[in-house]
Amino acid sequence: MDRRIFIRAAAAGAAAVSTLNLASCGGGDHDDSDEGTGPDLLLVNGRIHTMDDQNSVIASIGIHEGRFVAVGDIDRSRAKVIDLGGRTVIPGLVESHTHFVSLANRPGYHVAEWELANDVAGVLEALRVRRQRGVPEGQFITAMGGGTPGMFAERRLPTLAEIDSVVPDRPVFLYQGGGGPARTNTLGKQFFGTATGPLAGPVTVGADGTVAGGNPNMANRALYHLRIRQTFDDKKRSAIDAMTYAASRGITANLDQVLPAKTTGTLDPASLEPQPTDALFNLNHFRMYDALLALHQEKRVFVRLQMNFLHNQGFIPELGDLSKQLPELRERLRNSQPFFGDDMVRTGAIGEWGAPFALPTNANGYAVWYESQRLIARARWSNENAQANNPGIEQVIATYEAMDAEFGIKDLRWGLHHVEQVTPAQLVRLKALNCRVSMSGFKWLGSVPRADGAPIGPPFADIVASGIHAGLHEDGVHIAPLNPWFALHYATTGLNVSGQQINPGQQITRVQALKAYTRDNAWFLKRENDLGSIEVGKLGDFVVLDRDYFTVSDADMRRTNPVLTVVGGKVAYTTGVLA
C-alpha cells in the first residue's frame, strides 16, 4: 500500500478514538520527501505565539529554505499558503530529557498512544484502532512503558479476555513501566507458551494473561523473545512510528538521554545483545541507534534527534586502581565529538551521567563518580547529571564548584536535571557556575499529597524566580509518558493524575512553562540560536494546536493536541484539518 494512503487511513481511524483523548492513534501524514527543507510556506490568519523576548503574537510568518523569514520575503505565487483560521501556533516543543531511543526500538506494531488513555476502555480502543489500521498475520501488537498503568482509572492493565474482545486475531503484548509485569491475549499466550530462543525457553502466562515480573521475570523473558525476532527493517519501522508519535504530540526535537548500559568493563558489543533478563530500558548501547542512523542516511528522519552519551561503569574491581577505571568514558572522550552532526541528527553532551552516582559512604563508587567529572571537565565536554533530592543535589553542586576551581567549567554548559528538592541557595550557586537546570514534569503520575502539606516539587515557581535558565521535561518513555502536555499541565497546576494538589505554591504561568519547553530547553541542545522560538533566521519548526493553550481551562489544556507539526518547513504530522 502507498505510504501516504496508509497514513491517511490511520489518521481517519484515529478520529474514532478522539472521545478517549487518543488523538491520531499512530496516524498523521508527514512529508515523505528527503530530509532538509520543504517548499516555501506562508502562514496567515493565525495567533502565532513567537516566544521571543517580547512574547510577541503575530498573524503571519514565512518559511524559506527551512528557516523563518519575514512575510515580505516570500513569493506568494510560489509558496504554499496555510490559512490558520485563527488557530494558535507555538514553536516546536524541544524535549530536554527523554529516552526516545527506547521508543524507537520497540518490537511489534507498537501503540505508543496507550499513554494517552484515561482508563482500560481507552487502552482497548487504542489497540482496536491499531489492529484496524492493518497488522500482518502473526505479528504482535505491542504497547510498552509510558508510565502505565498509573494514569488509568483502574490502575491495571487489561486482562486476556478484555484484549481478546477487541483483538482476537493477532497476538498482543502489554508491558508496564520499565520492568513489567505484562499482559497478553490468547494468541500471545499460545506463542509465549511454546517460544524458544538461544538463551531461554517458554514463558509462564497466567489464566488472565498475566506475565509476571519479579524473579524470574517472565515479562522480560517474553520481551526477549520478541526482541530476538525483530529484523532491522522492523526496527526502522519502529523508529518511524516513534517519530510520528513524537510529532503528533508537538515534539520537534528530542535530546535523548540514552539508556543505562550494563555495568560491565567490556567494550565488546556482542556481550550486550538481548538477554532474557533484560528490561525494557536495556539495549545494546553501541548499536541502539543503528536504525535511526540508517534512516538518517536515507534522509528519512523527520523529528530532530540529539544523542547524549550516558556512561554506566561504576567501580569494577577487576580493572584495578582508579587510573584503570572508566574505560568506556575515557575512550569516548578521546574518540568522539560533542555537538557533532547536522540539523536533524547530532551528538550532544555526557549525560544523563558519566558514571553511576554514589555517595561518599560508598568509597570506591564515589571515587569513580568523582573521577568521571574530572575527566569530563579536563576534556572540555558539556556534562549533565540527574539528581532529584538532597544530599544528591548538594553533592553534584559541590563537585561542579570543585571542577570549576580546578578546570573552569563556566563556558562548558554543565547542567543538572530533575532538581525536585533544590533550594534557593543551591540555585544561586548553580547560576554562578553558568549551569542550567531541567525540571522534572512527571511527579503528577505517582505522587500523592504529603501529610505535612509540603510541595512534592520541583519548586517551579522558586526556580523561575531565581532567574536561572530552566527547562522542563517529562522523562519518557519508561517511568513516564512522552506526552509533554502532561508536564505542562503539572507545572502550571500542581495537580496529580487524580486531580489532587501535590505541589502547593509552586505553580508557574503557561507562558513560563512553554518557554521552559521551547527556548530554555533549546539551551541543553546548544541550539538556542536555531530552536525554541518563531523568529526570523531560526529553523522553521512550529506546531498548530487544536485549542488555545493559553486560555482554555486547565483540564482542556491537558488534552491539547496538535493538528499540524512542521519541522524545518516540512510536514512531520498532520490530521488533515489544514490540508
Side-chain angles (χ1 to χ4, degrees):
M1 180 184 290
D2 178 81
R3 176 163 175 77
R4 289 181 180 272
I5 296 173
F6 175 81
I7 298 178
R8 288 193 181 108
V17 196
S18 61
T19 57
L20 296 168
N21 300 327
L22 293 170
S24 67
C25 208
D29 203 355
H30 69 262
D31 190 335
D32 286 330
S33 59
D34 287 351
E35 286 175 20
T37 61
D40 284 3
L41 296 182
L42 180 61
L43 309 183
V44 299
N45 190 27
R47 294 195 303 275
I48 303 171
H49 292 257
T50 65
M51 302 306 294
D52 63 8
D53 288 340
Q54 292 76 39
N55 287 324
S56 304
V57 181
I58 58 179
S60 58
I61 190 74
I63 298 179
H64 173 68
E65 295 185 349
R67 291 183 179 267
F68 291 114
V69 297
V71 172
D73 292 335
I74 294 292
D75 181 351
R76 285 177 177 259
S77 66
R78 301 179 61 183
K80 178 178 180 179
V81 179
I82 299 177
D83 186 340
L84 298 166
R87 291 179 175 85
T88 297
V89 179
I90 62 170
L93 299 179
V94 180
E95 177 55 78
S96 62
H97 188 122
T98 185
H99 302 278
F100 183 75
V101 68
S102 177
L103 187 63
N105 276 273
R106 298 284 161 85
Y109 286 74
H110 190 256
V111 184
E113 293 80 4
W114 79 321
E115 69 177 35
L116 305 179
N118 296 323
D119 49 30
V120 167
V123 176
L124 295 174
E125 180 66 359
L127 296 175
R128 185 195 65 79
V129 170
R130 186 63 189 89
R131 172 65 187 94
Q132 188 179 55
R133 287 170 49 200
V135 176
E137 185 175 359
Q139 294 296 306
F140 266 83
I141 296 174
T142 60
M144 304 179 183
T148 57
M151 67 280 288
F152 306 153
E154 301 87 348
R155 303 294 193 270
R156 65 169 178 85
L157 300 180
T159 64
L160 179 149
E162 289 170 332
I163 302 170
D164 277 348
S165 72
V166 291
V167 185
D169 60 347
R170 296 292 186 272
V172 176
F173 182 64
L174 310 179
Y175 179 107
Q176 73 181 54
R183 280 264 172 82
T184 190
N185 65 346
T186 296
L187 289 181
K189 182 178 181 183
Q190 292 172 2
F191 168 81
F192 291 125
T194 59
T196 60
L199 301 176
V203 175
T204 301
V205 180
D208 66 349
T210 295
V211 187
N215 186 17
N217 192 311
M218 287 292 160
N220 288 344
R221 183 182 295 186
L223 177 61
Y224 160 79
H225 282 301
L226 297 183
R227 280 176 166 171
I228 64 174
R229 289 164 171 80
Q230 268 185 296
T231 67
F232 194 65
D233 282 343
D234 289 337
K235 292 181 180 181
K236 289 167 69 175
R237 173 176 48 77
S238 181
I240 289 171
D241 288 347
M243 287 187 285
T244 300
Y245 180 66
S248 80
R249 300 293 87 217
I251 297 172
T252 57
N254 282 296
L255 175 55
D256 202 36
Q257 298 291 347
V258 203
L259 297 173
K262 297 171 185 176
T263 53
T264 172
T266 182
L267 297 179
D268 176 15
S271 68
L272 305 174
E273 290 306 311
Q275 304 293 313
T277 55
D278 286 352
L280 188 60
F281 50 76
N282 293 130
L283 287 172
N284 183 330
H285 63 291
F286 291 109
R287 308 313 300 265
M288 58 189 169
Y289 288 104
D290 283 0
L292 280 161
L293 294 176
L295 290 170
H296 182 45
Q297 190 172 29
E298 297 167 10
K299 300 187 182 301
R300 296 170 65 195
V301 168
F302 52 92
V303 170
R304 304 186 195 279
L305 174 67
Q306 188 155 315
M307 304 165 286
N308 271 1
F309 297 111
L310 187 154
H311 291 271
N312 207 36
Q313 291 176 327
F315 177 70
I316 301 173
E318 295 80 3
L319 294 178
D321 64 26
L322 191 59
S323 67
K324 301 295 194 302
Q325 300 292 325
L326 300 164
E328 186 182 294
L329 177 62
R330 294 176 192 273
E331 291 300 313
R332 175 78 65 200
L333 297 173
R334 290 190 188 105
N335 295 295
S336 296
Q337 296 293 325
F339 307 115
F340 177 79
D342 57 31
D343 283 340
M344 295 305 297
V345 178
R346 66 204 302 254
T347 63
I350 300 297
E352 177 175 353
W353 55 76
F357 184 81
L359 294 169
T361 50
N362 175 357
N364 287 329
Y366 172 76
V368 167
W369 177 80
Y370 190 88
E371 181 65 10
S372 74
Q373 306 304 292
R374 294 190 71 255
L375 293 172
I376 297 164
R378 187 169 60 194
R380 312 300 296 164
W381 273 60
S382 180
N383 181 39
E384 296 173 5
N385 280 272
Q387 286 295 308
N389 306 318
N390 280 303
I393 293 173
E394 177 59 31
Q395 179 175 309
V396 170
I397 297 173
T399 302
Y400 283 10
E401 290 169 334
M403 296 304 103
D404 187 55
E406 184 174 1
F407 300 104
I409 66 166
K410 291 186 177 70
D411 62 336
L412 297 184
R413 292 176 179 257
W414 284 32
L416 181 56
H417 291 234
H418 297 336
V419 295
E420 289 155 20
Q421 290 185 358
V422 71
T423 68
Q426 289 172 330
L427 290 167
V428 169
R429 292 160 63 197
L430 283 166
K431 189 176 178 182
L433 291 166
N434 198 30
C435 292
R436 269 55 167 180
V437 297
S438 182
M439 306 175 288
S440 60
F442 58 85
K443 300 301 290 184
W444 60 271
L445 185 56
S447 302
V448 296
R450 287 175 46 139
D452 61 4
I456 297 292
F460 297 112
D462 290 348
I463 292 171
V464 170
S466 76
I468 195 170
H469 287 279
L472 177 62
H473 67 264
E474 184 63 60
D475 201 5
V477 293
H478 304 115
I479 64 171
L482 182 68
N483 183 30
W485 303 99
F486 294 157
L488 289 161
H489 178 264
Y490 175 58
T492 55
T493 67
L495 301 179
N496 69 6
V497 68
S498 300
Q500 298 170 305
Q501 180 56 250
I502 60 171
N503 208 23
Q506 289 298 333
Q507 287 71 61
I508 54 178
T509 69
R510 294 186 188 181
V511 170
Q512 290 170 332
L514 186 62
K515 179 175 179 289
Y517 236 114
T518 52
R519 291 187 65 175
D520 286 325
N521 273 356
W523 180 89
F524 288 93
L525 285 72
K526 199 177 181 180
R527 312 224 43 201
E528 63 269 32
N529 293 326
D530 285 326
L531 304 174
S533 60
I534 298 175
E535 298 182 83
V536 170
K538 287 194 172 184
L539 291 166
D541 299 0
F542 67 88
V543 184
V544 184
L545 304 179
D546 68 344
R547 66 201 70 196
D548 186 3
Y549 159 84
F550 299 93
T551 62
V552 296
S553 70
D554 289 337
D556 276 348
M557 185 269 272
R558 193 174 189 272
R559 293 190 287 264
T560 297
N561 291 305
V563 299
L564 177 68
T565 300
V566 170
V567 178
K570 296 181 65 175
V571 174
Y573 170 84
T574 179
T575 62
V577 171
L578 294 173

